[in-house]
């Protein structure tokens, strides 16, 4: 079995670990056991017909005397590119709109209120190539570009919030490119956008060739279904990035990503889950799937031979809760839709138990960080 072709960790465990021990293993890996969400038969049949993984789980909170449950259904979509990377740009975009649009229809059948797509979902993740053309042609306006107009139609048709991460072209500021998530309300209005705060310079991830660190801060969007934020891809490696979205009141933080197995897979199941625990909120990690091949070879600056692919995008999208529980992941090899029902009351219930926000020494951290970023900073090291 190669590292690219096994379906998921969960399926390996189910195939090789006895049932009684499996329950213990899953409890340690995923926290408390989640109920499976009852999904409509029509949705199950549509997923089978369209060949994508469909899973559903429920995150429950304890009943309260004064607050009714605050349940919201979230859908995460992971997918391969549809056409070869050298197909005409508009054909690639249109094909991805069609594929993802079909999956959103199934999400709507499942009662999803908020759907989030993977990072730069309308294009191949071509930033490894360092080529300008044709990849910059995929960039579009966050406010009224082709993809945003498509998402507005989806939001209105299915009464759901759409989180759409794209390559943005900012015409107002000289056509600058940004890695941006557009948030469209269920009424079809563009609530705003959140740009990627941290840009990787790791291996083949040469993204600063195209765009730099974002300038929208840590925006939180008040939707009909709760307060959400978008921590794009590499930002998941930065605990303070998650923290600031939480400080601004995010109840659900989405992490649309594009990352490959050799680089990050051992870290994947940990980071968003840890962020959910540390920040008393739900986190949703979405990763694209498949291997994308490019016409021209490129190098990684590490002395290894030139190659035509970035590596295997391993999917495995999941949702984590503030109590440390998490859903099993979607497939490592197939397109997928993960539907989860979240009771947002769990955020405060866990906060009341663990008190991380109350016991956090933010004023002390702020004061020391203020000093640490100065050029004449002297570390507080006590010597003999």
């Amino acid at each position: 079995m190669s590292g690219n072709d096994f379906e998921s960790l969960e399926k390996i465990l189910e195939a090789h670990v006895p049932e009684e021990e499996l329950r213990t293993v899953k409890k340690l890996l995923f926290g408390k056991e989640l109920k499976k969400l009852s999904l409509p038969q029509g949705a199950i049949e549509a997923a089978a017909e369209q060949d994508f993984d469909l899973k559903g789980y429920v995150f429950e909170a304890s009943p309260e005397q004064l607050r009714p449950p605050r349940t919201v259904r979230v859908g995460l979509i992971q997918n391969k590119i549809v056409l070869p990377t050298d197909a005409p740009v508009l054909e690639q975009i249109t094909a991805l709109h069609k594929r993802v649009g079909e999956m959103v229809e199934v999400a709507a059948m499942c009662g999803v209120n908020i759907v989030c797509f993977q990072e730069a979902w309308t294009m191949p993740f071509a930033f490894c190539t360092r080529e300008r053309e044709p990849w910059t042609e995929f960039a579009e306006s966050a406010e009224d570009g082709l993809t945003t107009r498509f998402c507005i139609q989806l939001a209105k048709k299915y009464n759901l919030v759409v989180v759409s991460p794209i390559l943005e072209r900012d015409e107002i500021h000289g056509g600058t490119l940004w890695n941006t998530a557009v948030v469209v309300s269920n009424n079809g209005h563009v609530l705003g956008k959140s740009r990627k705060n941290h840009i990787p310079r790791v291996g083949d991830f040469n993204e600063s060739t195209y765009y730099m660190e974002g300038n929208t801060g840590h925006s939180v969007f008040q939707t009909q279904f709760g307060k959400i934020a978008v921590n794009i891809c590499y930002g998941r490696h930065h605990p303070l990035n998650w923290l600031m979205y939480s400080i601004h009141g995010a109840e659900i933080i989405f992490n649309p990503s594009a990352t490959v197995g050799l680089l990050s897979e051992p870290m994947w199941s940990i980071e968003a889950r840890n962020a959910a625990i540390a920040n008393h909120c739900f986190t949703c990690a979405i990763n694209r799937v498949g291997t994308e091949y490019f016409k021209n070879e490129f190098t990684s600056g590490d002395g290894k031979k030139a190659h035509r692919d970035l590596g295997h995008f391993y999917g495995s999208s999941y949702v984590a809760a503030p109590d440390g529980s998490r859903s099993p992941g979607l497939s490592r090899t197939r397109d997928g839709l993960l539907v989860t029902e979240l009771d947002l009351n769990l955020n405060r219930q866990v906060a009341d138990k663990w008190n991380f926000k109350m016991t956090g020494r933010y004023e002390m951290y702020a004061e020391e960080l203020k000093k640490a970023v100065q050029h004449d900073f002297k570390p507080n090291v006590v010597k003999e």
Side-chain angles (χ1 to χ4, degrees):
M1 181 187 301
S2 75
N4 296 349
D5 60 9
F6 73 88
E7 179 77 6
S8 67
L9 170 63
E10 294 85 350
K11 289 200 172 182
I12 291 178
L13 293 174
E14 289 165 3
H16 298 284
V17 179
E19 186 173 348
E20 187 173 339
E21 287 86 347
L22 181 62
R23 283 196 293 271
T24 301
V25 170
K26 284 189 172 181
K27 183 177 181 181
L28 291 174
L29 284 176
F30 304 130
K32 69 181 181 185
E33 185 175 0
L34 303 178
K35 291 181 180 178
K36 289 189 176 181
L37 186 62
S38 180
L39 301 173
Q41 186 60 33
I44 295 170
E45 292 173 357
E49 182 180 342
Q50 297 170 26
D51 189 26
F52 64 84
D53 191 17
L54 175 62
K55 290 185 172 73
Y57 299 94
V58 180
F59 291 87
E60 296 178 307
S62 300
E64 298 186 15
Q65 295 185 47
L66 300 181
R67 292 195 304 172
R70 296 183 60 220
T71 55
V72 55
R73 287 198 181 183
V74 168
L76 311 183
I77 290 179
Q78 65 177 45
N79 59 278
K80 303 175 185 177
I81 57 173
V82 178
L83 299 179
T85 59
D86 58 355
V89 169
L90 185 57
E91 290 183 16
Q92 291 192 59
I93 295 172
T94 302
L96 282 163
H97 282 189
K98 181 177 185 298
R99 175 57 167 168
V100 171
E102 292 169 348
M103 297 175 76
V104 171
E105 182 178 8
V106 176
M109 293 169 63
C110 296
V112 164
N113 306 119
I114 306 171
V115 66
C116 184
F117 309 144
Q118 64 201 24
E119 182 183 18
W121 73 274
T122 62
M123 62 180 294
F125 207 76
F127 310 121
C128 53
T129 67
R130 299 191 294 276
E131 299 168 340
R132 296 291 179 169
E133 293 293 335
W135 316 121
T136 56
E137 293 189 53
F138 284 90
E140 52 186 290
S141 167
E143 287 72 30
D144 59 6
L146 179 65
T147 296
T148 296
R149 296 197 303 271
F150 173 73
C151 291
I152 287 171
Q153 293 174 351
L154 293 177
K156 288 180 176 179
K157 183 176 181 179
Y158 299 119
N159 188 35
L160 45 72
V161 174
V162 179
V163 181
S164 172
I166 62 168
L167 181 62
E168 177 194 3
R169 185 176 294 280
D170 181 3
E171 295 289 4
I172 293 177
H173 296 95
T176 303
L177 301 184
W178 303 95
N179 187 319
T180 301
V182 182
V183 179
V184 180
S185 78
N186 57 308
N187 296 315
H189 301 131
V190 177
L191 279 180
K193 59 191 176 186
S194 184
R195 290 170 173 159
K196 188 171 182 175
N197 282 330
H198 299 276
I199 307 302
R201 295 151 177 91
V202 181
D204 286 328
F205 287 83
N206 298 298
E207 297 174 44
S208 57
T209 302
Y210 301 87
Y211 45 78
M212 299 300 286
E213 285 74 13
N215 58 2
T216 54
H218 296 88
S219 301
V220 171
F221 303 93
Q222 176 70 67
T223 75
Q224 182 178 321
F225 309 107
K227 289 180 283 187
I228 67 173
V230 193
N231 178 10
I232 301 175
C233 197
Y234 195 67
R236 74 180 176 278
H237 304 305
H238 296 267
L240 291 179
N241 207 41
W242 294 101
L243 171 66
M244 292 312 300
Y245 290 114
S246 173
I247 290 290
H248 283 281
E251 298 171 298
I252 307 169
I253 306 177
F254 293 94
N255 176 230
S257 301
T259 186
V260 294
L262 290 178
L263 179 66
S264 66
E265 195 161 9
M267 304 158 67
W268 177 254
S269 62
I270 300 169
E271 290 176 301
R273 187 181 183 188
N274 182 67
I277 296 168
N279 296 291
H280 301 320
C281 66
F282 287 93
T283 59
C284 303
I286 311 104
N287 187 26
R288 70 172 56 204
V289 68
T291 304
E292 301 172 359
Y293 296 95
F294 298 95
K295 181 179 178 181
N296 299 321
E297 290 185 334
F298 53 88
T299 61
S300 306
D302 58 3
K304 294 181 181 178
K305 290 183 178 180
H307 42 281
R308 287 192 170 91
D309 70 276
L310 182 57
H312 176 68
F313 295 102
Y314 52 82
S316 306
S317 303
Y318 69 96
V319 173
D323 63 359
S325 60
R326 55 151 288 188
S327 73
L330 287 175
S331 168
R332 295 179 71 261
T333 58
R334 301 173 60 213
D335 291 6
L337 167 63
L338 176 61
V339 180
T340 55
E341 183 173 286
L342 320 178
D343 187 340
L344 299 182
N345 281 352
L346 185 62
N347 290 345
R348 193 170 81 179
Q349 290 176 9
V350 173
D352 285 348
K353 177 180 180 179
W354 284 100
N355 296 303
F356 294 152
K357 293 289 180 63
M358 184 182 76
T359 58
R361 299 293 306 279
Y362 302 127
E363 74 291 342
M364 180 177 68
Y365 308 150
E367 182 64 29
E368 293 192 27
L369 283 170
K370 183 179 178 181
K371 295 176 182 176
V373 298
Q374 302 303 315
H375 75 279
D376 57 352
F377 170 64
K378 292 181 175 57
N380 184 16
V381 179
V382 178
K383 300 178 181 179
E384 185 175 358

